[in-house]
Amino acid sequence: MSYLEATNDLYKQAALTPDVGLCCTTNPVWQLPGLSIPTIMQEMNYGCGSTVSASDLVNEPKVLYVGVGGGMELLQFAYFSRQVGGVTGVDVVDEMLEACRKNFKVAEKENPWFKSDFVELVKGDALNLPIESESIDVAAQNCLFNIFKTEDLKKAIGEMYRVLKPHGRLVMSDPVCEQHMNEALRNDDRLRAQCLSGSIPIRDYVKMLTDAGFGTIEIRARKSYRVLSPNHYPTDELIHIESIEIAAIKDPMPEDGPCVFTGKTAIYFGGEPYLDDKKGHVLLQNQPLAVCDKTAAALAQLSDEIHISESTWHYDGGGCC
C-alpha cells in the first residue's frame, strides 16, 4: 500500500466514524452573525488551523477548497460568498464527499441563509485538479499538503498555482517542523497521513511556493501544534511540531526575488519627518511599517536610524509592497 493509499484509507474511516482527535486545531470556531457550525462539522474538523479570512473574501470571489473534511470551512467560505457554485470542494475520498453532503443538510436547518448548492462538491485529486486554469480567486487547503512527499507536494502546489487567476491567493494551514526527523518517522505512512511526520521547515515550504511562481508570501500565524516524544514515537529526542497559516499570492515575481512577510516592521527614528528610500518605501518618523524580509534587510543597510524588528511570524496585511 502506498502512502497515498494509506492516507485515503485513514480519511475514509474518518468520514464513516468521525475522529475528533485526528487533527485537533486550537483555533476557535468562527462566531459570526447568523453563522451556526453544526456539531458534526466541528467533530470532523480535520485541520490544524484556519484558512478563512474575511480580508480574502471580497467582491464575491470564486473559492476552491481541496480536502473537504466535514465541510466546516466550506460552510464558512459560503457564508461570505452566498452564491450558487461560489465555492468548490474537491476530495478524492468518496466517503468524505458523501459525509460532507449530509452535513450540509444539517447546516441548512441551522442556517436559514445557507443552501447546499452554494458549494459544488467534486471528486478529484489534489495532484491533478479537475478545475479550469486561472478560474479561481481564492484556493485553500487545511492540513493536507504536509501529507505529500516532496515531488507530490511540488505537484499539488503547482496545480493550485495553475487554477488561480493572476493575483489570486492560495491560503493554507499546515504543520511544520524545524527539527530533523529520522527515516523511521518519515517513512511511517500512518504518521504521515495523521499530519505529523510529513512536516517540513518553514523555509523549505516557502521555497516550494516561490519556486512555483508565487511572488508574495505572507506568514499569518505560527502556533504550537504537537510533540513527538520518545515514549510514544520512534525518536530519540522530543520533536516539536508547529502549525502555520500562510498565504501565497500569484503576483508577478519581482526581479530581486519574492516578497516574504514574516512579521517584521521598520521604524525610522531620525531627525527628519520621514525617510524615503527612493524604492517605494516611505517611513514616517517613529511609525512602524510592516516590511517583507527583503525590504527589511535593505533598509537596515540604508540607515542606522531605522529599527528593524525580529520576525513575529504574524502578518495581517498592509506594509511595504
Side-chain angles (χ1 to χ4, degrees), residues 10-269:
L10 177 70
Y11 285 93
K12 173 183 176 180
Q13 296 305 315
L16 296 172
T17 305
D19 186 348
V20 177
L22 179 60
C23 276
C24 179
T25 173
T26 57
N27 281 48
V29 176
W30 276 79
Q31 299 292 327
L32 293 169
L35 174 61
S36 174
I37 306 293
T39 300
I40 183 62
M41 286 187 173
Q42 297 181 45
E43 292 175 348
M44 296 179 69
N45 176 20
Y46 302 138
C48 61
S50 177
T51 65
V52 183
S53 173
S55 62
D56 297 326
L57 302 171
V58 296
N59 300 323
E60 299 184 338
K62 294 287 288 185
V63 179
L64 168 67
Y65 190 76
V66 181
V68 299
M72 187 178 84
E73 291 200 317
L74 288 166
L75 177 63
Q76 292 171 347
F77 282 121
Y79 177 88
F80 290 94
S81 68
R82 302 199 185 196
Q83 55 182 309
V84 174
V87 180
T88 300
V90 173
D91 205 297
V92 73
V93 179
D94 289 320
E95 290 80 4
M96 196 63 80
L97 290 167
E98 182 57 29
C100 199
R101 289 189 183 95
K102 292 179 180 178
N103 293 349
F104 283 159
K105 296 301 181 184
V106 179
E108 283 185 332
K109 295 178 181 178
E110 294 188 17
N111 295 272
W113 59 268
F114 177 68
K115 305 299 179 186
S116 291
D117 61 6
F118 287 177
V119 182
E120 181 182 6
L121 294 175
V122 179
K123 183 172 182 178
D125 189 337
L127 307 181
N128 186 23
L129 290 171
I131 304 295
E132 183 182 350
S133 297
E134 298 192 354
S135 62
I136 299 296
D137 297 292
V138 178
Q141 67 84 20
N142 195 333
C143 210
L144 170 64
F145 280 13
N146 74 99
I147 291 171
F148 294 131
K149 295 184 178 180
T150 301
E151 292 307 311
D152 287 338
L153 177 56
K154 291 178 181 178
K155 289 179 183 177
I157 291 172
E159 277 294 276
M160 291 292 221
Y161 185 88
R162 176 184 66 80
V163 303
L164 282 170
K165 298 176 183 178
H167 306 292
R169 55 193 59 203
L170 169 57
V171 187
M172 302 169 289
S173 179
D174 261 323
V176 294
C177 183
E178 302 302 322
Q179 294 171 262
H180 171 74
M181 283 199 193
N182 62 43
E183 291 303 307
L185 290 170
R186 291 291 187 199
N187 293 326
D188 188 312
D189 291 344
R190 187 166 183 84
L191 290 181
R192 184 174 285 273
Q194 290 175 330
C195 307
L196 295 173
S197 63
S199 306
I200 62 175
I202 291 177
R203 64 182 179 278
D204 294 345
Y205 205 137
V206 169
K207 187 175 188 304
M208 286 196 181
L209 293 167
T210 57
D211 284 350
F214 290 99
T216 302
I217 309 295
E218 302 176 354
I219 309 293
R220 295 180 169 180
R222 180 176 180 175
K223 310 169 187 177
S224 185
Y225 181 62
R226 292 284 194 278
V227 293
L228 304 182
S229 58
N231 59 320
H232 291 293
Y233 299 92
T235 173
D236 294 328
E237 63 172 339
L238 192 72
I239 297 175
H240 181 219
I241 299 175
E242 297 173 289
S243 170
I244 60 166
E245 294 171 13
I246 185 169
I249 303 173
K250 194 175 178 178
D251 289 337
M253 183 65 67
E255 291 184 4
D256 59 349
C259 294
V260 180
F261 289 87
T262 63
K264 291 182 182 291
T265 61
I267 301 179
Y268 168 62
F269 56 87

